[in-house]
Amino acid sequence: MAAFAALTKRINIGSIHLANNFRHPALVAKYFSTLSHISNGRIILFYDYAWRESEFRQTGISFEKTNKRVSRMIEGLNIIKKSFKEKKINFSGKYYKIKNFICNPKPLKKIPIWLGESDNKFMVKEIVKNADVFNSMPCNINVFKKKIDVIKKECNRQKKKFNKIEKSLETQILIAKNDEDLKKKIVNIKKLKIYNKSYD
């Protein structure tokens, strides 16, 4: 991201599902504050609690239950948001304890916070509370509408204006030479699904 920030002038640059457990949130705050200056403010932070167990196992990081990962991510996000604004950060939570942490220089302007998904009730609450943008994983329009309805209901519960949260639909494209090649690619992708699981 730093390389792209230095080499470009117009596009926005950011993370996608940046896993809280893989990096200390105070360091993430420093990374993104620096990126804000390198990019002249063209940076976004898409944060997440991570769900693919194999990524944790490969690096020796403990894979916790979903609710714990979400809770840890929420604390991390609170630290990051405070770091972007406050002179010195003191934080004492269940997972993180920080004393007199300084994150300077501050971002040039507000760094938009992106969050997803809507299939976790803990995340839905935090999306409405903290996100500038809700992002959906690839899905069809009908499924996307259902996700949006979930967000809308939580907005009503928290008494937050639904239109204050921007919406984003992630899309994927599969390119093939012809129909036969496309069918082969789809078969191969289906075979890989066994590696795309997370267990609680």
Side-chain angles (χ1 to χ4, degrees):
M1 286 191 290
F4 279 121
L7 292 170
T8 60
K9 293 183 178 179
R10 293 185 297 171
I11 62 169
N12 287 329
I13 298 163
S15 57
I16 180 164
H17 296 285
L18 188 70
N20 174 79
N21 290 49
F22 297 162
R23 302 163 187 83
H24 195 289
L27 295 179
V28 171
K30 279 192 172 280
Y31 298 156
F32 277 79
S33 291
T34 301
L35 282 168
S36 176
H37 286 264
I38 296 172
S39 67
N40 197 28
R42 297 177 290 113
I43 198 76
I44 65 169
L45 173 58
F46 189 164
Y47 217 52
D48 202 0
Y49 60 93
W51 62 271
R52 187 174 284 113
E53 184 180 6
S54 62
E55 291 180 324
F56 285 76
R57 301 296 182 217
Q58 288 165 6
T59 53
I61 298 172
S62 176
F63 185 70
E64 302 165 311
K65 297 283 187 180
T66 299
N67 62 335
K68 285 189 177 181
R69 295 199 315 278
V70 173
S71 296
R72 189 186 291 273
M73 187 215 74
I74 293 164
E75 283 193 14
L77 189 58
N78 285 334
I79 290 168
I80 291 168
K81 292 177 75 172
K82 283 177 177 287
S83 298
F84 288 161
K85 295 178 182 178
E86 298 177 13
K87 187 175 181 180
K88 284 187 179 180
I89 299 91
N90 290 286
F91 185 91
S92 182
K94 184 178 179 181
Y95 303 100
Y96 299 107
K97 288 179 172 49
I98 291 176
K99 187 175 181 180
N100 294 328
F101 172 67
I102 297 172
C103 180
N104 281 331
K106 301 299 181 191
L108 286 177
K109 63 180 183 180
K110 177 179 167 56
I111 297 177
I113 305 295
W114 288 47
L115 294 173
E117 263 291 323
S118 66
D119 57 354
N120 182 303
K121 64 181 180 179
F122 301 106
M123 275 300 290
V124 170
K125 178 182 175 183
E126 295 308 316
I127 287 166
V128 172
K129 185 178 178 182
N130 290 299
D132 298 297
V133 181
F134 161 68
N135 179 79
S136 169
M137 295 284 280
C139 63
N140 63 42
I141 295 300
N142 289 332
V143 172
F144 185 60
K145 285 179 180 178
K146 288 178 182 178
K147 292 182 180 186
I148 293 299
D149 285 340
V150 170
I151 301 298
K152 190 178 289 186
K153 285 177 184 176
E154 182 61 24
C155 281
N156 292 335
R157 196 186 71 78
Q158 291 190 32
K159 295 182 175 158
K160 182 174 181 177
K161 289 184 179 179
F162 175 66
N163 291 335
K164 288 283 184 181
I165 304 172
E166 293 184 43
K167 292 84 185 173
S168 167
L169 174 60
E170 209 173 305
T171 303
Q172 295 177 344
I173 298 172
L174 182 59
I175 299 173
K177 296 176 182 177
N178 49 48
D179 288 348
E180 185 179 348
D181 185 37
L182 179 62
K183 288 175 183 177
K184 286 181 181 178
K185 288 178 183 287
I186 291 171
V187 169
N188 288 333
I189 289 170
K190 287 181 177 179
K191 288 179 181 177
L192 295 172
K193 286 182 75 175
I194 60 170
Y195 302 109
N196 204 31
K197 291 181 180 178
S198 177
Y199 301 96
D200 281 337

